[in-house]
Amino acid sequence: MKKLSIIICAALVSLSSQAFAHGDGHSVMEADAAVKLAQTSAKMLSFKDHGMSVGKIDDSWSQVAKSEFVLSEQAKDGFIIKGYNAKIGQTLYFTIDKSGQVKTVEESKKFNKSHGHAH
């Protein structure tokens, strides 16, 4: 079991450069890819604080299915993806720009205040 955890952690770390790095400017992210990136980001944040306002999130986020991540808003400059963790009753919002950079990850209470309207 420990070996499996190490393999999963290593895979997530290798994805971290894509999930939290600035895009190269050559490609434009699509909504489906943004949803998948939000799920990957949640898994990464369940292992380590990556400097987002939510910090390190509950370990149960690593088990949340892709179907629990949905496109909440799409604008010309990016996406807002809503993720819901039924196990702990927590909703997170992932703001992802068109280049594939995760800009913010916020809890629903804080997100509604900073974003200006409720989702």
Side-chain angles (χ1 to χ4, degrees):
M1 185 62 144
K2 185 176 178 180
K3 189 174 184 179
L4 178 61
S5 296
I6 292 170
I7 291 170
I8 291 171
C9 188
L12 291 173
V13 169
S14 71
L15 292 172
S16 68
S17 62
Q18 293 175 339
F20 290 106
H22 191 64
D24 62 9
H26 298 302
S27 61
V28 176
M29 170 129 328
E30 298 294 329
D32 288 344
V35 170
K36 184 173 172 127
L37 179 56
Q39 182 190 27
T40 300
S41 298
K43 287 180 182 182
M44 290 173 36
L45 288 168
S46 72
F47 285 104
K48 180 181 174 188
D49 180 346
H50 284 272
M52 299 292 155
S53 65
V54 294
K56 181 186 177 298
I57 58 177
D58 189 85
D59 292 343
S60 62
W61 276 98
S62 67
Q63 302 299 316
V64 176
K66 185 181 175 198
S67 62
E68 296 298 328
F69 292 84
V70 295
L71 178 65
S72 180
E73 286 186 29
Q74 183 171 352
K76 70 176 188 169
D77 58 342
F79 309 93
I80 297 172
I81 308 299
K82 177 182 173 181
Y84 180 68
N85 183 336
K87 183 175 183 178
I88 60 172
Q90 184 180 35
T91 301
L92 295 177
Y93 289 91
F94 300 78
T95 304
I96 302 171
D97 70 15
K98 289 282 188 164
S99 69
Q101 181 179 8
V102 178
K103 302 300 264 180
T104 62
V105 181
E106 299 179 75
E107 289 187 75
S108 59
K109 296 171 200 153
K110 294 177 185 174
F111 182 77
N112 290 340
K113 290 178 185 174
S114 68
H115 189 63
H117 61 274
H119 290 263

